[in-house]
Amino acid sequence: MNKVLTHLTILRPFQEPVYIENGWIRIIDSRVAAFGKMPVRLDDDELEINMGNKLVLPGMINAHTHLYSALALGMPAPGQAPQNFVQILEKIWWKLDRALDTETTLASFQAGLLACLRAGVTTIFDHHSSPNFTKGSLKMLAGVAHDFGLKVSTAFEGTDRNGPECFKAGLDENLSALADYKNDPQIHPMLGLHASFTLSDESLETVRRSLDDHPGAGIHIHLAEAIADHHDSGERGYQSVVQRLSEYDLIHSNSLYAHGIHITPDDADMLFNAGANLVHNPTSNANNRVGMLNGVTLEMLGFGLGTDGMQANLLSEAKEGMLIRSSKLTTGQANVDYLKLLFHNNPQIASRLFGYPMNRIEPGAPADLAFYDYKSRTELNATNWGGHLLFGLGAPVDVMTDGEFRIRNGAVQGLDENEILDNARTASARLWDAMEKLR
Ligand SMILES: [Zn+2]
């Protein structure tokens, strides 16, 4: 049955009109058909749902994350503190991913996507790694995404660091997903690669050849996140990571590049000309102390916003990104508009890659919406909504995807949230034990 959601405060960041008080949204066949200001005339076959003056935003996008790290929350720190970025990977994340098995991977996907849903994040670009459970892992993720009603881009982090068989298995898993989900509007498969510095020239050549069989497919890779990645390309005889990837035809508009902190001005030009999609992950960059992305480059390349596994809440990421940058600026210097990354650049990137308009409240886009019970202590209007989004809003009380409520009045629909969380707690204890046993 078609629905009309009424009595809504509609917020459409970076679109016009941006703010509609006492509004309505008509949903036909899982998509937004129209919206406007009350009153609205209902057709006989339409169901009116009175939303009680809640504030509605488009469902948000996490443009780069790692659901596999969902069970790292509260995990014991390594015995010896890492001394640089590569040691952070070796002592923490490369142990965690090797310790993942079928069950702990499933628990990570479920708990990670539950946190996204609870934060009103309905589209997730995931970068997965579980080298001891490779075959079937992306199919498992797609299955959980279907169960949760979320849109997910899949990618398995191809790398040479676990030997040639693991590289081959990761590549095969990516290629299977590219074939299996080619026509699935909910899943966007990408060819995942960890990072240039853990891939040989031979492996990059293999990737280039593999993509020939999948026209339109793109890669999802960490790009010049730390200076070590840049130096590695230099040692291999390339001017930069971007130059190296471009030698293998791996810089293009279908691909997603996370971080891009240590790129050169020439690299930025090349990425711009290729129409490449870049993603900024400010809290992760601050946490790993890898440097801060240049603000001019960020504006020029239209970076999206991701959390790199640090958190599920993109409004928090936007606020913290702004504050991290502020701490390095002097009074009077302009900051980056982090809400633009989240509500303008992310939907552009996602729409380009999934191939249809999404994560906007506009006719034709899927009805992916987050509703907040927001009783503001000051006036909210068409000009000051940014401050309310960054400093006022809590968690959504209702979340809808494809026109169906996935959370209604605070309760997750059609899934046993307690069971998912109980299972994740048990799995996390097992995962942390397994990590202890790895040298
Ligand atoms: Zn990452």
Side-chain angles (χ1 to χ4, degrees):
M1 196 175 198
N2 297 330
K3 303 178 181 89
V4 181
L5 311 178
T6 62
H7 301 88
L8 281 168
T9 298
I10 305 173
L11 203 46
R12 306 167 68 241
F14 301 95
Q15 291 195 279
E16 286 295 332
V18 66
Y19 175 81
I20 301 170
E21 212 176 346
N22 214 12
W24 54 268
I25 299 175
R26 171 170 278 121
I27 297 166
I28 298 179
D29 295 335
S30 81
R31 290 176 185 270
V32 172
F35 63 90
K37 200 169 170 61
M38 302 268 286
V40 58
R41 260 241 310 259
L42 267 70
D43 289 343
D44 291 344
D45 62 342
E46 285 183 325
L47 172 71
E48 178 183 357
I49 303 176
N50 184 329
M51 296 303 292
N53 297 314
K54 284 173 186 164
L55 170 77
V56 61
L57 278 174
M60 282 167 274
I61 299 162
N62 193 341
H64 174 76
T65 194
H66 303 277
L67 295 168
Y68 81 76
S69 70
L71 303 186
L73 181 68
M75 187 171 76
Q80 275 187 319
Q83 297 300 307
N84 56 48
F85 175 68
V86 175
Q87 284 189 11
I88 292 173
L89 297 178
E90 288 168 349
K91 288 175 184 285
I92 303 173
W93 305 113
W94 292 352
K95 267 193 179 175
L96 186 143
D97 71 359
R98 280 186 293 134
L100 284 165
D101 60 19
T102 312
E103 285 171 19
T104 47
T105 300
L106 178 62
S108 303
F109 288 156
Q110 290 178 331
L113 285 181
L114 182 64
C116 295
L117 188 61
R118 280 262 174 224
V121 173
T122 57
T123 301
I124 296 99
F125 286 84
D126 185 57
H127 203 225
H128 178 64
S129 183
S130 54
N132 289 312
F133 163 52
T134 302
K135 192 174 162 48
S137 58
L138 297 184
K139 192 172 194 164
M140 175 188 274
L141 173 56
V144 178
H146 282 137
D147 291 346
F148 281 54
L150 294 170
K151 296 177 179 69
V152 168
S153 170
T154 61
F156 192 98
E157 290 185 19
T159 178
D160 290 327
R161 69 183 160 86
N162 300 306
E165 278 176 27
C166 271
F167 170 77
K168 172 86 170 53
L171 182 64
D172 287 348
E173 184 62 11
N174 281 309
L175 297 176
S176 296
L178 285 176
D180 292 349
Y181 303 108
K182 202 171 148 188
N183 299 314
D184 185 334
Q186 216 177 314
I187 307 295
H188 177 64
M190 301 188 83
L191 197 158
L193 295 172
H194 167 252
S196 166
F197 72 96
T198 69
L199 288 158
S200 66
D201 286 350
E202 293 71 30
S203 293
L204 292 181
E205 179 57 29
T206 304
V207 170
R208 181 224 300 255
R209 276 190 273 108
S210 302
L211 280 173
D212 285 346
D213 299 331
H214 297 272
I219 64 166
H220 183 174
I221 187 169
H222 292 126
L223 178 82
E225 176 177 4
I227 195 71
D229 197 15
H230 177 72
H231 288 158
D232 172 84
S233 279
E235 283 159 20
R236 294 178 198 258
Y238 301 91
Q239 283 178 345
S240 69
V241 181
V242 172
Q243 294 282 342
R244 182 172 187 235
L245 294 179
S246 126
E247 284 288 315
Y248 296 93
D249 298 331
L250 296 176
I251 299 291
H252 38 63
S253 61
N254 299 323
S255 295
L256 196 59
Y257 307 91
H259 305 294
I261 297 173
H262 300 279
I263 60 171
T264 67
D266 283 351
D267 292 342
D269 286 342
M270 186 182 281
L271 291 163
F272 180 83
N273 292 330
N277 305 289
L278 286 112
V279 186
H280 180 37
N281 303 271
T283 63
S284 163
N285 296 159
N287 188 53
N288 288 333
R289 305 174 196 180
V290 288
M292 192 171 69
L293 181 63
N294 179 295
V296 175
T297 310
L298 193 154
E299 297 276 351
M300 170 188 164
L301 293 174
F303 271 73
L305 187 66
T307 67
D308 206 14
M310 289 287 286
Q311 57 188 335
N313 190 325
L314 268 289
L315 287 173
S316 300
E317 185 75 21
K319 175 165 96 175
E320 290 154 17
M322 178 191 73
L323 295 175
I324 290 164
R325 191 169 293 270
S326 279
S327 73
K328 307 283 184 202
L329 298 174
T330 55
T331 310
Q333 275 186 298
N335 204 317
V336 163
D337 185 350
Y338 276 87
L339 289 175
K340 188 177 174 192
L341 270 62
L342 176 55
F343 287 104
H344 180 271
N345 298 358
N346 271 5
Q348 275 197 342
I349 291 170
S351 301
R352 200 150 53 215
L353 294 176
F354 275 77
Y356 57 90
M358 60 199 297
N359 300 91
R360 293 190 191 108
I361 302 176
E362 65 183 23
D368 294 355
L369 305 165
F371 304 86
Y372 296 81
D373 199 2
Y374 184 51
K375 306 274 188 293
S376 168
R377 64 179 177 274
T378 60
E379 187 190 327
L380 166 68
N381 59 43
T383 58
N384 74 356
W385 51 268
H388 287 272
L389 292 193
L390 291 173
F391 295 100
L393 234 52
V397 288
D398 301 297
V399 178
M400 173 179 270
T401 64
D402 295 316
E404 300 293 330
F405 283 110
R406 312 295 173 178
I407 298 178
R408 184 67 170 134
N409 293 321
V412 175
Q413 308 290 294
L415 296 167
D416 189 334
E417 184 173 28
N418 287 331
E419 189 182 302
I420 290 169
L421 293 174
D422 284 346
N423 181 42
R425 275 187 290 272
T426 309
S428 66
R430 228 162 46 69
L431 177 65
W432 300 354
D433 275 351
M435 284 178 72
E436 274 297 306
K437 294 188 182 95
L438 289 173
R439 280 169 176 270

